[in-house]
PDB file of all heavy atoms in Angstrom:
ATOM      1  N   ILE A 215      35.434  18.158 -11.149  1.00 89.00           N
ATOM      2  CA  ILE A 215      35.049  16.962 -10.386  1.00 89.00           C
ATOM      3  C   ILE A 215      33.696  17.183  -9.722  1.00 89.00           C
ATOM      4  O   ILE A 215      32.829  16.300  -9.732  1.00 89.00           O
ATOM      5  CB  ILE A 215      36.129  16.627  -9.336  1.00 89.00           C
ATOM      6  CG1 ILE A 215      37.420  16.191 -10.027  1.00 89.00           C
ATOM      7  CG2 ILE A 215      35.636  15.531  -8.391  1.00 89.00           C
ATOM      8  CD1 ILE A 215      38.579  15.968  -9.079  1.00 89.00           C
ATOM      9  N   GLY A 216      33.505  18.369  -9.133  1.00 89.00           N
ATOM     10  CA  GLY A 216      32.227  18.677  -8.506  1.00 89.00           C
ATOM     11  C   GLY A 216      31.079  18.633  -9.491  1.00 89.00           C
ATOM     12  O   GLY A 216      29.999  18.103  -9.187  1.00 89.00           O
ATOM     13  N   MET A 217      31.302  19.171 -10.686  1.00 88.00           N
ATOM     14  CA  MET A 217      30.279  19.159 -11.736  1.00 88.00           C
ATOM     15  C   MET A 217      29.935  17.729 -12.138  1.00 88.00           C
ATOM     16  O   MET A 217      28.759  17.368 -12.291  1.00 88.00           O
ATOM     17  CB  MET A 217      30.817  19.928 -12.947  1.00 88.00           C
ATOM     18  CG  MET A 217      29.849  20.052 -14.089  1.00 88.00           C
ATOM     19  SD  MET A 217      28.535  21.192 -13.700  1.00 88.00           S
ATOM     20  CE  MET A 217      27.593  21.115 -15.217  1.00 88.00           C
ATOM     21  N   ALA A 218      30.971  16.902 -12.313  1.00 90.00           N
ATOM     22  CA  ALA A 218      30.755  15.508 -12.701  1.00 90.00           C
ATOM     23  C   ALA A 218      29.991  14.745 -11.627  1.00 90.00           C
ATOM     24  O   ALA A 218      29.042  14.008 -11.927  1.00 90.00           O
ATOM     25  CB  ALA A 218      32.102  14.830 -12.967  1.00 90.00           C
ATOM     26  N   LEU A 219      30.382  14.936 -10.373  1.00 90.00           N
ATOM     27  CA  LEU A 219      29.718  14.223  -9.269  1.00 90.00           C
ATOM     28  C   LEU A 219      28.265  14.650  -9.123  1.00 90.00           C
ATOM     29  O   LEU A 219      27.378  13.818  -8.899  1.00 90.00           O
ATOM     30  CB  LEU A 219      30.479  14.467  -7.966  1.00 90.00           C
ATOM     31  CG  LEU A 219      31.853  13.795  -7.853  1.00 90.00           C
ATOM     32  CD1 LEU A 219      32.538  14.193  -6.550  1.00 90.00           C
ATOM     33  CD2 LEU A 219      31.727  12.269  -7.933  1.00 90.00           C
ATOM     34  N   CYS A 220      27.997  15.952  -9.251  1.00 91.00           N
ATOM     35  CA  CYS A 220      26.616  16.439  -9.142  1.00 91.00           C
ATOM     36  C   CYS A 220      25.741  15.865 -10.251  1.00 91.00           C
ATOM     37  O   CYS A 220      24.618  15.408 -10.003  1.00 91.00           O
ATOM     38  CB  CYS A 220      26.588  17.968  -9.208  1.00 91.00           C
ATOM     39  SG  CYS A 220      27.110  18.771  -7.699  1.00 91.00           S
ATOM     40  N   THR A 221      26.252  15.884 -11.474  1.00 92.00           N
ATOM     41  CA  THR A 221      25.473  15.393 -12.614  1.00 92.00           C
ATOM     42  C   THR A 221      25.203  13.903 -12.490  1.00 92.00           C
ATOM     43  O   THR A 221      24.068  13.443 -12.705  1.00 92.00           O
ATOM     44  CB  THR A 221      26.214  15.686 -13.930  1.00 92.00           C
ATOM     45  OG1 THR A 221      26.460  17.093 -14.039  1.00 92.00           O
ATOM     46  CG2 THR A 221      25.398  15.216 -15.127  1.00 92.00           C
ATOM     47  N   LEU A 222      26.228  13.124 -12.141  1.00 92.00           N
ATOM     48  CA  LEU A 222      26.050  11.679 -12.017  1.00 92.00           C
ATOM     49  C   LEU A 222      25.132  11.340 -10.838  1.00 92.00           C
ATOM     50  O   LEU A 222      24.362  10.376 -10.896  1.00 92.00           O
ATOM     51  CB  LEU A 222      27.407  10.991 -11.855  1.00 92.00           C
ATOM     52  CG  LEU A 222      28.312  11.042 -13.090  1.00 92.00           C
ATOM     53  CD1 LEU A 222      29.651  10.364 -12.804  1.00 92.00           C
ATOM     54  CD2 LEU A 222      27.640  10.375 -14.292  1.00 92.00           C
ATOM     55  N   THR A 223      25.212  12.137  -9.764  1.00 92.00           N
ATOM     56  CA  THR A 223      24.303  11.933  -8.631  1.00 92.00           C
ATOM     57  C   THR A 223      22.854  12.126  -9.059  1.00 92.00           C
ATOM     58  O   THR A 223      21.965  11.350  -8.682  1.00 92.00           O
ATOM     59  CB  THR A 223      24.647  12.901  -7.484  1.00 92.00           C
ATOM     60  OG1 THR A 223      25.974  12.637  -7.025  1.00 92.00           O
ATOM     61  CG2 THR A 223      23.671  12.730  -6.328  1.00 92.00           C
ATOM     62  N   ILE A 224      22.614  13.164  -9.842  1.00 94.00           N
ATOM     63  CA  ILE A 224      21.255  13.426 -10.331  1.00 94.00           C
ATOM     64  C   ILE A 224      20.771  12.271 -11.197  1.00 94.00           C
ATOM     65  O   ILE A 224      19.631  11.797 -11.054  1.00 94.00           O
ATOM     66  CB  ILE A 224      21.212  14.754 -11.109  1.00 94.00           C
ATOM     67  CG1 ILE A 224      21.403  15.926 -10.141  1.00 94.00           C
ATOM     68  CG2 ILE A 224      19.891  14.905 -11.871  1.00 94.00           C
ATOM     69  CD1 ILE A 224      21.601  17.263 -10.827  1.00 94.00           C
TER      70      ILE A 224
END
Side-chain angles (χ1 to χ4, degrees):
I215 293 174
M217 183 72 180
L219 290 176
C220 284
T221 303
L222 292 178
T223 298
I224 290 171

